[in-house]
Amino acid sequence: MIEERFDAIVVGAGMAGNAAALTMAKRGMKVLQIERGEYPGSKNVQGAILYADMLEKLVPNFREDAPLERHLVEQRFWMMDERSHTGLHYRSDDFNEEKPNRYTIIRAQFDKWFSSQAQEAGAIVLCETTVKELVKDAYGKVIGVITDREGGEVHADVVVLAEGVNGLLGTKADLRERPSPDKVALAVKEMHFLPRETIEARFNLKGDEGVVIEAAGTISRGMTGMGFVYANKESVSVGIGCLVADFQKSGETPYDLLERFKKHPSIAPLIEGSEVKEYAGHLIPEGGYKAIPQLYGDGWVVVGDAAQLNNALHREGSNLAMTSGRIAGEAIFQVKSRKDPMTKENLALYKKMLDESFVIKDLKKYKDMPDLLHIQSQNFFLTYPQLINKALQNFVRVDGTPKVDKEKVTIRSFVSARSWAGLFGDAFRFARAWR
Amino acid sequence: MTVEAPIRVEDKLFQNRYLVDVGNAHIRVKPHTKPSAELLALLKVCPAHCYELNTNGQVEVTPDGCVECGTCRVIAEGNGDIEWDYPRGGYGVLFKFG
């Protein structure tokens, strides 16, 4: 197919792949990027929130032409039971700054733009092409890929695996394991279209201001999971995701869960009368620090979701992907500029640089959190949300009951559900995993 | 209380764009007489409802509406119940928004 030899082949045109391709192309490297979708972004799914800082490091003036939806001025966290929600809202006019910090985006549109940046820097992007296999030499060093095009073998000094959470290539080549059901969540999402003015009125926004709602509680039926509602310009992204292992155990169906979430009395008014234009499903890496696979080897590195780089607790994924792609690109460029071969020893630089970044530092901080939330899912996602919502209702409803009696009822409900030892134990375990 | 009709995921998939690679299914179920627990789980967990029981009680897959999430792969590829591949380049689901 392509006779020439490349400095690097990047598999995938998502956040991590585009960041890697752009970083290397900008430095004059000969980069081939291969994407199986019709265009970059056509296979990619996310909520989605974009964090400006990580993109600024790659495209400093991205605000001039990147397809952004709304900059976020407000974040809501909702703990839900069947009919109520207890919320924590943070809203600040400080976020109406000249260079806003966070935006909602639509991935299919954003990724197309992000890829165009890499192409302008000189990367060659080949779409509608699926990579079938990695090519290794007699010593086991990765030296290229085989695509599903005729005569589709291409060679390069290094292959960047940016193939996403469901990456087949790396597992087929025994570079890493297939994620297990307790290390990934399945999220389903719908795009609900509404007139801009309606969205602004319902979410209390002006102009391009945006809001995101993250919701947990009985909506996931005791499974480890979360729902979300993100306001875009003329659409609202509504989704819910839970651990695959929990779905497997519970026998819940993802679309029923989404329908029930949409019908919740706190959510339904936000999307009433909307026109749904897409339904998507996607896996999210949830294993955290302990699930990170081997990140490099002879002739290859792995970045983004394929490397399980996702901070589930902070709902940060694409920025970790983007940063790992950029760092991989920088490390590869350093090895190349020293005229060193792309061996495992030399590519260890990528891991070293990643360890020093917020990516690994953040994941390390929460290394015990996934286990805690998974083991205690019934408590954290059913019992506590119910108790807290009931306590708040008891607190705000005025009905002639003396406050002293109300407090007794609330305390008794917590103790009878979890016992004093359980309550203290949960608080202690949570604090320790957070630390 | 009213009883609601079950959600038809087919109606949701109808909103999506697909380019189906006719005759080249990217997911295959291994022939079996009695489905394993993993295969049975796919009947419910697949977000596109690609898996169904046939009249002989075996699990069948029709991946035309597949959203390529990989959930079934994570559950049932390891024990050999299914084979999972990506659709050929350009085929499969084509997200407009993603």
Side-chain angles (χ1 to χ4, degrees):
Chain A
M1 172 180 67
I2 297 176
E3 294 298 325
E4 58 188 320
R5 189 189 165 81
F6 290 87
D7 292 328
I9 292 172
V10 178
V11 181
M15 290 290 190
N18 286 337
L22 172 60
T23 302
M24 293 187 289
K26 240 184 351 197
R27 286 160 176 76
M29 289 177 64
K30 215 162 115 186
V31 178
L32 174 68
Q33 191 175 14
I34 305 175
E35 162 58 43
R36 62 191 187 86
E38 181 186 33
Y39 58 88
S42 64
K43 294 287 186 184
N44 303 346
V45 177
Q46 195 195 341
I49 299 174
L50 172 81
Y51 300 91
D53 176 75
M54 291 74 196
L55 181 57
E56 246 166 5
K57 290 194 165 68
L58 289 151
V59 189
N61 58 349
F62 76 89
R63 291 180 182 85
E64 286 167 19
D65 59 353
L68 306 168
E69 291 290 312
R70 291 174 178 276
H71 67 272
L72 298 176
V73 296
E74 182 173 334
Q75 172 111 24
R76 306 178 188 172
F77 300 96
W78 287 2
M79 190 172 268
M80 305 176 103
D81 72 6
E82 292 307 304
R83 299 170 56 79
S84 333
H85 77 261
T86 304
L88 172 71
H89 294 193
Y90 182 71
R91 183 180 177 111
S92 175
D93 197 40
D94 290 351
F95 288 124
N96 278 317
E97 55 211 323
E98 196 190 333
K99 291 186 165 180
N101 177 255
R102 299 175 304 159
Y103 297 88
T104 49
I105 54 166
I106 292 173
R107 280 294 298 273
Q109 295 162 9
F110 180 84
D111 291 17
K112 203 192 265 180
W113 168 86
F114 198 11
S115 172
S116 75
Q117 300 296 302
Q119 291 175 54
E120 278 168 33
I124 297 173
V125 180
L126 195 59
C127 289
E128 300 190 307
T129 308
T130 302
V131 176
K132 304 295 288 178
E133 256 177 79
L134 293 174
V135 187
K136 292 182 181 177
D137 69 10
Y139 306 99
K141 181 178 186 288
V142 173
I143 54 164
V145 301
I146 298 174
T147 70
D148 63 355
R149 299 223 172 184
E150 208 172 314
E153 186 166 327
V154 205
H155 291 167
D157 293 338
V158 63
V159 175
V160 178
L161 294 164
E163 49 178 343
V165 60
N166 187 33
L168 303 184
L169 272 183
T171 45
K172 258 197 245 172
D174 284 328
L175 307 180
R176 61 170 186 276
E177 287 175 12
R178 178 187 325 104
S180 61
D182 60 339
K183 299 278 188 284
V184 280
L186 166 64
V188 287
K189 185 188 85 163
E190 282 178 355
M191 291 295 280
H192 287 252
F193 281 76
L194 284 163
R196 270 193 86 118
E197 316 78 67
T198 309
I199 291 176
E200 283 153 25
R202 287 181 187 178
F203 287 87
N204 189 21
L205 305 166
K206 326 187 277 295
D208 285 344
E209 289 176 343
V211 168
V212 295
I213 303 171
E214 310 283 355
T218 62
I219 49 166
S220 66
R221 311 225 136 191
M223 299 187 281
T224 304
M226 277 187 101
F228 62 87
V229 178
Y230 296 167
N232 306 315
K233 272 194 180 122
E234 290 174 325
S235 62
V236 181
S237 309
V238 185
I240 187 162
C242 297
L243 263 200
V244 169
D246 285 356
F247 269 122
Q248 216 177 329
K249 246 187 303 178
S250 68
E252 295 281 347
T253 62
Y255 32 91
D256 284 335
L257 214 61
L258 180 60
E259 285 308 302
R260 282 196 299 259
F261 181 53
K262 280 159 53 185
K263 288 198 181 103
H264 189 284
S266 299
I267 303 291
L270 297 173
I271 51 173
E272 199 195 327
S274 63
E275 188 191 351
V276 184
K277 291 197 181 171
E278 190 167 85
Y279 168 74
H282 197 68
L283 292 180
I284 304 170
E286 296 279 342
Y289 183 75
K290 293 176 183 171
I292 300 173
Q294 173 67 29
L295 292 170
Y296 60 94
D298 279 329
W300 63 272
V301 295
V302 59
V303 292
D305 275 10
Q308 285 268 334
L309 302 176
N310 176 41
N311 185 344
L313 201 65
H314 284 256
R315 307 154 325 278
E316 287 179 33
S318 64
N319 56 330
L320 276 65
M322 213 183 263
T323 303
S324 65
R326 174 176 61 78
I327 290 177
E330 286 170 1
I332 289 168
F333 177 70
Q334 278 194 38
V335 174
K336 187 188 152 62
S337 350
R338 291 199 292 258
K339 296 201 166 55
D340 282 339
M342 297 291 166
T343 58
K344 185 173 181 178
E345 271 173 351
N346 292 329
L347 289 170
L349 178 63
Y350 160 52
K351 168 87 169 34
K352 191 172 162 274
M353 288 165 70
L354 202 63
D355 281 346
E356 286 161 12
S357 73
F358 79 95
V359 174
I360 299 294
K361 282 184 185 160
D362 283 359
L363 291 177
K364 213 170 190 173
K365 171 169 160 50
Y366 296 117
K367 65 181 190 313
D368 296 323
M369 201 53 104
D371 291 342
L372 174 70
L373 291 180
H374 303 171
I375 292 161
Q376 300 253 341
S377 68
Q378 293 280 329
N379 288 331
F380 286 123
F381 296 94
L382 276 182
T383 312
Y384 283 122
Q386 283 166 338
L387 289 169
I388 288 167
N389 278 292
K390 220 156 114 202
L392 261 295
Q393 180 163 137
N394 187 24
F395 184 78
V396 296
R397 190 189 283 280
V398 175
D399 55 5
T401 312
K403 305 301 179 207
V404 140
D405 295 344
K406 282 186 172 251
E407 272 171 29
K408 274 185 197 151
V409 168
T410 292
I411 292 168
R412 220 177 297 137
S413 71
F414 272 75
V415 176
S416 73
R418 285 296 294 142
S419 85
W420 284 111
L423 289 169
F424 281 115
D426 290 344
F428 177 72
R429 279 187 291 269
F430 191 79
R432 202 168 62 171
W434 187 277
R435 186 163 57 95
Chain B
M1 218 177 100
T2 53
V3 180
E4 286 171 27
I7 314 317
R8 275 176 43 87
V9 72
E10 291 77 7
D11 296 338
K12 291 180 183 290
L13 300 175
F14 189 69
Q15 297 147 358
N16 293 352
R17 264 177 80 213
Y18 292 96
L19 187 58
V20 177
D21 194 357
V22 182
N24 283 315
H26 68 283
I27 306 172
R28 272 185 293 274
V29 177
K30 196 181 72 176
H32 57 278
T33 42
K34 199 170 163 285
S36 65
E38 285 80 7
L39 274 181
L40 289 173
L42 303 186
L43 302 173
K44 291 201 157 173
V45 71
C46 169
H49 198 257
C50 293
Y51 292 86
E52 272 183 304
L53 274 183
N54 67 18
T55 48
N56 299 324
Q58 292 144 352
V59 174
E60 279 182 350
V61 64
T62 313
D64 292 4
C66 176
V67 290
E68 297 167 32
C69 63
T71 303
C72 58
R73 177 179 171 236
V74 163
I75 293 176
E77 192 192 49
N79 58 6
D81 276 337
I82 63 166
E83 281 175 45
W84 212 105
D85 218 335
Y86 282 125
R88 278 197 291 157
Y91 287 93
V93 70
L94 305 161
F95 291 116
K96 298 169 292 229
F97 309 105

